[in-house]
Structures are given as C-alpha cells and as structure tokens.
Coordinates of all heavy atoms in Angstrom, one line a residue:
M1 N 2.6 -1.1 -5.7 CA 2.1 -0.2 -4.6 C 2.0 -0.9 -3.3 O 2.2 -0.3 -2.3 CB 0.7 0.2 -5.1 CG 0.1 1.3 -4.2 SD 1.3 2.6 -3.7 CE 1.6 3.4 -5.3
I2 N 1.7 -2.2 -3.3 CA 1.6 -3.0 -2.0 C 3.0 -2.9 -1.3 O 3.0 -2.7 -0.1 CB 1.2 -4.4 -2.3 CG1 -0.3 -4.4 -2.7 CG2 1.4 -5.3 -1.0 CD1 -0.8 -5.7 -3.4
T3 N 4.0 -3.1 -2.1 CA 5.4 -3.1 -1.5 C 5.6 -1.7 -0.8 O 6.1 -1.7 0.3 CB 6.4 -3.3 -2.6 OG1 6.1 -4.5 -3.3 CG2 7.8 -3.4 -2.0
S4 N 5.4 -0.7 -1.6 CA 5.7 0.7 -1.0 C 4.8 1.0 0.2 O 5.3 1.6 1.1 CB 5.6 1.7 -2.1 OG 4.4 1.6 -2.8
M5 N 3.5 0.6 0.1 CA 2.6 0.9 1.2 C 3.1 0.3 2.5 O 3.1 0.8 3.6 CB 1.2 0.5 0.9 CG 0.4 1.4 0.0 SD 0.3 3.1 0.7 CE 0.9 4.1 -0.6
K6 N 3.6 -1.0 2.4 CA 4.1 -1.7 3.5 C 5.3 -0.9 4.1 O 5.4 -0.8 5.3 CB 4.6 -3.1 3.0 CG 3.9 -4.2 3.6 CD 4.7 -5.5 3.5 CE 4.1 -6.5 2.7 NZ 4.9 -7.6 2.3
L7 N 6.2 -0.4 3.3 CA 7.3 0.3 3.8 C 6.9 1.6 4.5 O 7.5 1.9 5.5 CB 8.2 0.7 2.6 CG 8.9 -0.4 1.9 CD1 9.5 0.0 0.6 CD2 10.0 -1.0 2.8
F8 N 5.9 2.2 4.0 CA 5.5 3.5 4.6 C 4.8 3.3 6.0 O 4.6 4.3 6.7 CB 4.5 4.2 3.7 CG 5.2 4.7 2.4 CD1 4.6 4.6 1.2 CD2 6.5 5.2 2.5 CE1 5.2 5.0 0.1 CE2 7.1 5.7 1.4 CZ 6.5 5.6 0.1
L9 N 4.5 2.1 6.3 CA 3.8 1.8 7.6 C 4.8 2.1 8.7 O 4.4 2.3 9.9 CB 3.4 0.4 7.7 CG 2.2 0.0 6.9 CD1 1.8 -1.5 7.0 CD2 0.9 0.8 7.2
D10 N 6.1 2.1 8.4 CA 7.1 2.3 9.4 C 7.4 3.7 9.8 O 8.2 4.0 10.6 CB 8.5 1.6 8.9 CG 8.4 0.1 9.0 OD1 7.5 -0.4 9.7 OD2 9.2 -0.5 8.3
F11 N 6.7 4.6 9.2 CA 7.0 6.0 9.5 C 5.7 6.7 9.9 O 4.6 6.2 9.7 CB 7.8 6.8 8.5 CG 6.9 7.4 7.4 CD1 6.8 8.8 7.3 CD2 6.2 6.7 6.5 CE1 6.0 9.4 6.3 CE2 5.4 7.3 5.5 CZ 5.3 8.6 5.4
D12 N 5.8 7.9 10.5 CA 4.7 8.6 11.0 C 4.3 9.6 9.9 O 4.9 10.7 9.8 CB 5.1 9.3 12.3 CG 3.9 9.8 13.1 OD1 2.8 9.3 12.8 OD2 4.1 10.7 13.9
P13 N 3.2 9.3 9.1 CA 2.9 10.2 8.0 C 2.2 11.5 8.5 O 1.5 11.5 9.5 CB 1.9 9.4 7.2 CG 1.5 8.2 8.0 CD 2.3 8.2 9.2
C14 N 2.5 12.6 7.9 CA 1.9 13.9 8.3 C 0.5 14.0 7.5 O 0.2 13.0 6.8 CB 2.8 15.1 7.9 SG 3.0 15.3 6.1
V15 N -0.2 15.0 7.7 CA -1.5 15.2 7.1 C -1.4 15.1 5.6 O -2.2 14.4 5.0 CB -2.2 16.5 7.5 CG1 -3.5 16.7 6.8 CG2 -2.3 16.6 9.0
E16 N -0.4 15.7 5.0 CA -0.3 15.7 3.6 C 0.0 14.3 3.1 O -0.6 13.9 2.0 CB 0.9 16.6 3.1 CG 0.5 18.0 2.9 CD 1.7 18.8 2.4 OE1 2.0 18.7 1.2 OE2 2.3 19.5 3.2
C17 N 0.8 13.5 3.8 CA 1.1 12.2 3.4 C -0.2 11.3 3.4 O -0.4 10.6 2.5 CB 2.0 11.5 4.4 SG 3.7 12.0 4.2
K18 N -0.9 11.5 4.5 CA -2.2 10.7 4.6 C -3.1 11.0 3.4 O -3.8 10.1 2.9 CB -2.9 11.0 5.9 CG -2.2 10.3 7.1 CD -2.8 10.6 8.4 CE -2.0 10.0 9.5 NZ -2.3 10.6 10.8
E19 N -3.2 12.3 3.1 CA -4.1 12.7 2.0 C -3.6 12.0 0.7 O -4.4 11.5 -0.1 CB -4.0 14.2 1.8 CG -5.0 15.0 2.6 CD -4.8 16.5 2.5 OE1 -4.2 16.9 1.5 OE2 -5.3 17.2 3.4
M20 N -2.3 12.1 0.5 CA -1.8 11.5 -0.8 C -1.9 10.0 -0.8 O -2.2 9.4 -1.8 CB -0.4 11.9 -1.0 CG -0.3 13.4 -1.5 SD 1.3 13.9 -2.0 CE 1.8 14.6 -0.4
M21 N -1.7 9.3 0.4 CA -1.8 7.9 0.4 C -3.3 7.5 0.2 O -3.6 6.5 -0.5 CB -1.3 7.4 1.8 CG 0.2 7.3 1.8 SD 0.9 6.4 3.2 CE 0.8 7.6 4.5
T22 N -4.2 8.3 0.7 CA -5.6 8.0 0.5 C -5.9 8.2 -1.0 O -6.6 7.4 -1.6 CB -6.5 9.0 1.3 OG1 -6.1 8.9 2.7 CG2 -8.0 8.7 1.2
E23 N -5.4 9.2 -1.6 CA -5.6 9.5 -3.0 C -5.1 8.3 -3.8 O -5.7 7.8 -4.7 CB -4.9 10.8 -3.4 CG -5.4 11.4 -4.7 CD -4.7 12.7 -5.0 OE1 -4.0 13.3 -4.1 OE2 -4.8 13.1 -6.2
L24 N -3.9 7.9 -3.5 CA -3.2 6.8 -4.2 C -3.9 5.5 -4.1 O -3.9 4.7 -5.0 CB -1.8 6.6 -3.8 CG -0.7 7.6 -4.3 CD1 0.6 7.5 -3.5 CD2 -0.5 7.3 -5.8
S25 N -4.6 5.2 -3.0 CA -5.3 3.9 -2.8 C -6.8 4.1 -3.0 O -7.5 3.1 -2.8 CB -5.0 3.4 -1.4 OG -5.3 4.3 -0.4
S26 N -7.2 5.2 -3.5 CA -8.6 5.4 -3.7 C -9.1 4.6 -4.9 O -8.3 4.2 -5.8 CB -9.0 6.9 -3.9 OG -8.4 7.3 -5.1
E27 N -10.4 4.4 -5.0 CA -11.0 3.6 -6.1 C -10.8 4.4 -7.4 O -10.5 3.8 -8.4 CB -12.5 3.4 -5.8 CG -13.0 2.2 -6.4 CD -14.4 1.9 -5.8 OE1 -14.5 1.6 -4.6 OE2 -15.4 1.9 -6.6
E28 N -10.9 5.7 -7.3 CA -10.7 6.6 -8.4 C -9.3 6.3 -9.1 O -9.2 6.3 -10.3 CB -10.7 8.0 -7.9 CG -11.7 9.0 -8.5 CD -11.7 10.3 -7.8 OE1 -10.9 11.2 -8.1 OE2 -12.4 10.4 -6.7
M29 N -8.3 6.2 -8.2 CA -7.0 6.0 -8.7 C -6.8 4.7 -9.3 O -6.0 4.5 -10.3 CB -6.0 6.2 -7.5 CG -4.7 6.8 -7.8 SD -4.5 8.0 -9.1 CE -5.2 9.4 -8.3
L30 N -7.5 3.7 -8.9 CA -7.4 2.3 -9.4 C -7.8 2.3 -10.9 O -7.3 1.6 -11.7 CB -8.3 1.4 -8.7 CG -7.9 0.9 -7.3 CD1 -8.9 0.0 -6.6 CD2 -6.6 0.1 -7.4
F31 N -8.8 3.2 -11.2 CA -9.3 3.3 -12.6 C -8.6 4.4 -13.4 O -9.0 4.6 -14.6 CB -10.8 3.4 -12.6 CG -11.4 2.2 -12.0 CD1 -12.0 2.2 -10.8 CD2 -11.4 1.0 -12.7 CE1 -12.6 1.1 -10.2 CE2 -12.0 -0.2 -12.2 CZ -12.6 -0.1 -10.9
A32 N -7.7 5.2 -12.8 CA -7.1 6.3 -13.5 C -6.1 5.7 -14.5 O -5.6 4.6 -14.3 CB -6.4 7.2 -12.5
D33 N -5.7 6.5 -15.4 CA -4.7 6.1 -16.4 C -3.3 6.2 -15.8 O -3.1 6.8 -14.7 CB -4.8 6.9 -17.7 CG -4.7 8.4 -17.5 OD1 -3.7 8.8 -16.9 OD2 -5.7 9.1 -17.8
D34 N -2.4 5.6 -16.5 CA -1.0 5.5 -16.0 C -0.4 6.9 -15.7 O 0.3 7.1 -14.7 CB -0.1 4.8 -17.0 CG -0.4 3.3 -17.0 OD1 -1.1 2.8 -16.0 OD2 0.1 2.6 -17.9
E35 N -0.7 7.8 -16.6 CA -0.1 9.1 -16.4 C -0.6 9.8 -15.2 O 0.2 10.4 -14.4 CB -0.5 10.0 -17.7 CG 0.5 11.1 -18.0 CD 0.0 11.9 -19.2 OE1 -0.4 11.3 -20.2 OE2 0.1 13.2 -19.1
T36 N -1.9 9.7 -14.9 CA -2.4 10.3 -13.7 C -1.8 9.7 -12.4 O -1.4 10.3 -11.5 CB -4.0 10.1 -13.6 OG1 -4.5 10.6 -14.8 CG2 -4.6 10.8 -12.4
R37 N -1.7 8.3 -12.4 CA -1.1 7.6 -11.3 C 0.3 8.0 -11.1 O 0.8 8.2 -10.0 CB -1.2 6.1 -11.5 CG -2.6 5.6 -11.1 CD -2.4 4.1 -10.7 NE -2.0 3.3 -11.9 CZ -2.8 2.6 -12.6 NH1 -4.1 2.5 -12.3 NH2 -2.4 1.9 -13.6
A38 N 1.0 8.2 -12.2 CA 2.5 8.5 -12.2 C 2.6 9.9 -11.6 O 3.5 10.2 -10.8 CB 3.1 8.5 -13.5
D39 N 1.7 10.8 -11.9 CA 1.7 12.2 -11.4 C 1.5 12.2 -9.9 O 2.3 12.9 -9.2 CB 0.5 13.0 -12.0 CG 0.9 13.6 -13.4 OD1 2.0 13.4 -13.8 OD2 0.0 14.2 -14.0
V40 N 0.6 11.5 -9.4 CA 0.3 11.5 -8.0 C 1.5 10.8 -7.3 O 1.9 11.3 -6.2 CB -1.0 10.8 -7.7 CG1 -1.3 10.7 -6.2 CG2 -2.2 11.5 -8.3
S41 N 2.0 9.7 -7.8 CA 3.1 9.1 -7.2 C 4.4 10.0 -7.2 O 5.1 10.1 -6.2 CB 3.5 7.8 -8.0 OG 2.5 6.8 -7.9
A42 N 4.6 10.7 -8.2 CA 5.7 11.7 -8.3 C 5.5 12.8 -7.3 O 6.5 13.2 -6.6 CB 5.8 12.2 -9.7
K43 N 4.3 13.2 -7.1 CA 4.0 14.3 -6.1 C 4.3 13.8 -4.7 O 4.9 14.5 -3.9 CB 2.5 14.7 -6.3 CG 2.1 15.9 -5.6 CD 0.7 16.3 -5.9 CE -0.3 15.5 -5.2 NZ -1.7 15.9 -5.4
F44 N 3.9 12.6 -4.5 CA 4.1 12.0 -3.2 C 5.6 11.8 -2.9 O 6.1 12.1 -1.8 CB 3.4 10.6 -3.1 CG 3.4 10.0 -1.7 CD1 3.4 10.8 -0.6 CD2 3.2 8.7 -1.6 CE1 3.4 10.2 0.7 CE2 3.2 8.1 -0.3 CZ 3.3 8.9 0.8
L45 N 6.3 11.3 -3.9 CA 7.8 11.1 -3.8 C 8.5 12.4 -3.5 O 9.4 12.5 -2.7 CB 8.3 10.4 -5.0 CG 9.8 10.0 -4.9 CD1 10.0 9.0 -3.8 CD2 10.3 9.4 -6.2
R46 N 8.0 13.5 -4.2 CA 8.6 14.8 -4.0 C 8.4 15.3 -2.6 O 9.3 15.8 -2.0 CB 8.0 15.8 -5.0 CG 9.0 16.4 -6.0 CD 8.5 17.5 -6.8 NE 7.1 17.6 -7.1 CZ 6.5 17.1 -8.1 NH1 7.1 16.5 -9.0 NH2 5.2 17.2 -8.3
H47 N 7.2 15.1 -2.1 CA 6.9 15.5 -0.8 C 7.7 14.7 0.2 O 8.3 15.3 1.2 CB 5.4 15.2 -0.5 CG 5.0 15.3 1.0 ND1 4.8 16.5 1.6 CD2 4.8 14.4 1.9 CE1 4.5 16.3 2.8 NE2 4.5 15.0 3.1
L48 N 7.9 13.4 0.0 CA 8.7 12.6 0.9 C 10.2 13.1 0.9 O 10.8 13.2 1.9 CB 8.7 11.1 0.5 CG 7.4 10.4 0.8 CD1 7.4 9.0 0.2 CD2 7.1 10.3 2.3
T49 N 10.7 13.4 -0.3 CA 12.0 13.8 -0.5 C 12.3 15.1 0.3 O 13.3 15.2 1.0 CB 12.4 14.1 -2.0 OG1 12.0 12.9 -2.7 CG2 13.8 14.4 -2.1
Y50 N 11.4 16.0 0.3 CA 11.6 17.3 1.0 C 11.2 17.3 2.5 O 11.8 18.0 3.3 CB 10.8 18.4 0.3 CG 11.3 18.8 -1.0 CD1 10.7 18.6 -2.2 CD2 12.6 19.4 -1.1 CE1 11.2 18.9 -3.4 CE2 13.2 19.8 -2.3 CZ 12.5 19.5 -3.5 OH 13.0 19.9 -4.7
N51 N 10.3 16.4 2.8 CA 9.8 16.4 4.2 C 10.1 15.2 5.0 O 10.1 15.3 6.3 CB 8.2 16.6 4.2 CG 7.8 17.9 3.5 OD1 7.9 18.9 4.1 ND2 7.4 17.8 2.3
H52 N 10.4 14.1 4.4 CA 10.6 12.9 5.1 C 11.8 12.1 4.5 O 11.7 11.0 4.0 CB 9.4 12.0 5.1 CG 8.1 12.7 5.5 ND1 7.8 12.9 6.8 CD2 7.1 13.2 4.8 CE1 6.6 13.6 6.9 NE2 6.2 13.7 5.7
N53 N 12.9 12.8 4.5 CA 14.1 12.3 3.8 C 14.5 10.9 4.3 O 14.9 10.0 3.6 CB 15.2 13.2 3.9 CG 16.3 12.9 2.9 OD1 17.4 12.5 3.2 ND2 16.0 13.1 1.6
E54 N 14.3 10.6 5.6 CA 14.7 9.4 6.2 C 13.8 8.2 5.6 O 14.3 7.1 5.5 CB 14.5 9.4 7.7 CG 13.1 9.3 8.3 CD 12.4 10.7 8.2 OE1 12.9 11.7 7.6 OE2 11.2 10.7 8.5
V55 N 12.6 8.5 5.2 CA 11.8 7.5 4.6 C 12.3 7.1 3.2 O 12.4 5.9 2.9 CB 10.3 8.0 4.4 CG1 9.4 6.9 3.8 CG2 9.7 8.4 5.8
V56 N 12.7 8.1 2.4 CA 13.2 7.9 1.1 C 14.5 7.0 1.2 O 14.6 6.1 0.5 CB 13.5 9.2 0.4 CG1 14.2 9.0 -1.0 CG2 12.2 10.1 0.2
K57 N 15.3 7.4 2.2 CA 16.5 6.6 2.3 C 16.2 5.1 2.7 O 16.8 4.2 2.2 CB 17.4 7.2 3.4 CG 18.2 8.4 3.0 CD 19.0 9.0 4.1 CE 19.5 10.4 3.7 NZ 20.0 11.1 4.9
A58 N 15.3 5.0 3.6 CA 14.9 3.6 4.0 C 14.3 2.8 2.8 O 14.6 1.7 2.6 CB 13.8 3.7 5.1
V59 N 13.5 3.5 2.0 CA 12.9 2.9 0.9 C 13.9 2.5 -0.1 O 13.9 1.4 -0.7 CB 11.8 3.8 0.2 CG1 11.4 3.3 -1.1 CG2 10.6 4.0 1.1
M60 N 14.8 3.4 -0.4 CA 15.9 3.1 -1.3 C 16.7 1.9 -0.9 O 17.0 1.0 -1.8 CB 16.9 4.3 -1.4 CG 16.3 5.6 -2.0 SD 15.8 5.4 -3.7 CE 15.6 7.2 -4.1
S61 N 17.1 1.8 0.3 CA 17.9 0.7 0.8 C 17.1 -0.6 0.7 O 17.6 -1.7 0.4 CB 18.5 0.9 2.1 OG 17.5 1.1 3.1
E62 N 15.8 -0.5 1.0 CA 14.9 -1.6 1.0 C 14.8 -2.2 -0.4 O 15.0 -3.4 -0.7 CB 13.6 -1.3 1.5 CG 12.6 -2.4 1.6 CD 12.9 -3.3 2.8 OE1 13.8 -3.0 3.6 OE2 12.3 -4.4 2.9
V63 N 14.6 -1.2 -1.4 CA 14.5 -1.6 -2.8 C 15.8 -2.3 -3.3 O 15.8 -3.3 -3.9 CB 14.2 -0.4 -3.7 CG1 14.4 -0.7 -5.1 CG2 12.8 0.1 -3.4
K64 N 16.9 -1.7 -2.8 CA 18.2 -2.2 -3.2 C 18.4 -3.6 -2.6 O 18.8 -4.6 -3.3 CB 19.3 -1.3 -2.7 CG 20.5 -1.1 -3.6 CD 21.3 0.0 -3.1 CE 22.8 -0.2 -3.4 NZ 23.6 0.8 -2.7
N65 N 18.1 -3.8 -1.4 CA 18.2 -5.1 -0.7 C 17.4 -6.2 -1.4 O 17.8 -7.3 -1.6 CB 17.8 -5.0 0.8 CG 18.8 -4.2 1.6 OD1 19.9 -4.0 1.2 ND2 18.4 -3.7 2.7
Q66 N 16.1 -5.8 -1.7 CA 15.2 -6.8 -2.2 C 15.2 -6.9 -3.7 O 14.6 -7.8 -4.2 CB 13.8 -6.5 -1.7 CG 13.7 -6.4 -0.2 CD 12.3 -6.3 0.3 OE1 11.3 -6.3 -0.6 NE2 12.1 -6.1 1.5
Q67 N 15.9 -6.0 -4.3 CA 16.0 -6.0 -5.8 C 14.6 -6.0 -6.4 O 14.3 -6.8 -7.3 CB 16.8 -7.2 -6.3 CG 18.3 -7.2 -5.9 CD 19.0 -6.1 -6.7 OE1 18.9 -6.0 -7.9 NE2 19.8 -5.3 -6.0
R68 N 13.8 -5.2 -5.9 CA 12.4 -5.2 -6.3 C 12.0 -3.9 -7.1 O 10.9 -3.6 -7.2 CB 11.5 -5.3 -5.1 CG 11.3 -6.7 -4.7 CD 10.2 -6.8 -3.6 NE 10.1 -8.2 -3.1 CZ 9.4 -8.5 -2.0 NH1 8.9 -7.5 -1.3 NH2 9.4 -9.7 -1.6
S69 N 13.0 -3.2 -7.6 CA 12.7 -1.9 -8.2 C 11.6 -2.0 -9.3 O 10.8 -1.1 -9.4 CB 13.9 -1.2 -8.7 OG 14.8 -2.1 -9.3
P70 N 11.5 -3.1 -10.1 CA 10.5 -3.1 -11.1 C 9.0 -3.0 -10.5 O 8.1 -2.6 -11.2 CB 10.7 -4.4 -11.9 CG 12.1 -4.8 -11.6 CD 12.4 -4.3 -10.2
E71 N 8.9 -3.5 -9.3 CA 7.6 -3.5 -8.7 C 7.3 -2.2 -7.9 O 6.2 -2.0 -7.4 CB 7.5 -4.6 -7.6 CG 7.5 -6.0 -8.2 CD 7.5 -7.1 -7.1 OE1 7.0 -6.8 -6.0 OE2 8.0 -8.2 -7.4
F72 N 8.3 -1.4 -7.9 CA 8.1 -0.2 -7.0 C 7.4 0.9 -7.8 O 8.0 1.6 -8.6 CB 9.5 0.2 -6.5 CG 9.4 1.2 -5.4 CD1 8.8 0.8 -4.2 CD2 9.9 2.5 -5.5 CE1 8.8 1.6 -3.1 CE2 9.8 3.3 -4.4 CZ 9.2 2.9 -3.2
D73 N 6.2 1.1 -7.5 CA 5.3 2.0 -8.3 C 5.7 3.4 -8.3 O 5.5 4.1 -9.3 CB 3.9 1.9 -7.7 CG 3.2 0.6 -8.1 OD1 3.3 0.2 -9.2 OD2 2.5 0.1 -7.2
L74 N 6.4 3.9 -7.3 CA 6.8 5.3 -7.3 C 7.8 5.6 -8.4 O 7.9 6.8 -8.8 CB 7.4 5.7 -5.9 CG 6.4 5.7 -4.8 CD1 7.2 6.1 -3.5 CD2 5.3 6.8 -5.0
Y75 N 8.4 4.6 -8.9 CA 9.4 4.9 -9.9 C 9.0 4.6 -11.3 O 9.7 4.7 -12.3 CB 10.7 4.1 -9.6 CG 11.3 4.6 -8.4 CD1 11.1 4.0 -7.2 CD2 12.2 5.7 -8.4 CE1 11.6 4.5 -6.0 CE2 12.7 6.2 -7.2 CZ 12.4 5.6 -6.1 OH 13.0 6.1 -4.9
K76 N 7.7 4.3 -11.5 CA 7.2 3.9 -12.8 C 6.9 5.2 -13.6 O 6.6 6.2 -13.0 CB 5.9 3.2 -12.7 CG 6.2 1.7 -12.5 CD 4.9 0.9 -12.5 CE 5.2 -0.6 -12.2 NZ 4.0 -1.3 -11.8
Ligands
ZN1 ZN1 4.4 14.1 4.9

C-alpha cells in the first residue's frame, strides 16, 4: 500500500479518489479482513481505470520498471 500511495501522489485525485484513499488508509481498514480490503482496492482500481486512465498507465509502467508487483496491494 505504501508503494501505491506514493505513486498516487503524482496525480490530482477527485473527491471520489480522496474518499477511497481515506477509506483504504483508515484504521478500520487496517483491521479489516483480506476480502474487505481487496474489495475496496478493486473498487478504487475500477474507478481509476474509468476516470484516471493515465494514472493506471503510470502505475503499470512503474510496477513493471521496479518489478514490485508482489508488493502492489491493488492486485492482491
Ligand atoms: Zn477519481
């Protein structure tokens, strides 16, 4: 999650993004089960895909460059 949050600093999040990022980094989420976390991550990724395609592309190339896909929470 730290890796992905860092990447997202480079774009201008809309209100929905901010809500989901807050949700993802909330204390509640820290204690949530894997399934719940995966759901919220998937929701966020879907939103990014439809609304911020350039971010997804940037993240993809970053992941590829750094070979860090196992650490990339959105794909868990
Ligand atoms: Zn957004």
Side-chain angles (χ1 to χ4, degrees):
M1 188 44 68
I2 289 160
T3 306
S4 47
M5 282 300 126
K6 241 200 243 170
L7 293 167
F8 293 139
L9 291 177
D10 287 341
F11 88 112
D12 196 19
C14 70
V15 177
E16 271 184 81
C17 282
K18 284 177 186 165
E19 273 174 18
M20 282 185 268
M21 284 194 276
T22 305
E23 198 178 346
L24 279 166
S25 55
S26 68
E27 210 166 297
E28 239 171 89
M29 210 36 73
L30 286 175
F31 296 106
D33 55 57
D34 287 348
E35 206 181 317
T36 306
R37 275 204 299 259
D39 277 356
V40 177
S41 291
K43 193 172 75 177
F44 189 27
L45 186 62
R46 242 187 338 263
H47 170 80
L48 288 174
T49 305
Y50 288 113
N51 300 279
H52 310 282
N53 198 249
E54 74 284 358
V55 181
V56 177
K57 281 181 194 161
V59 169
M60 294 296 195
S61 63
E62 184 75 9
V63 168
K64 219 169 149 189
N65 288 343
Q66 301 186 5
Q67 294 291 311
R68 278 187 183 167
S69 39
E71 292 176 26
F72 197 62
D73 286 318
L74 289 177
Y75 294 94
K76 273 183 186 167

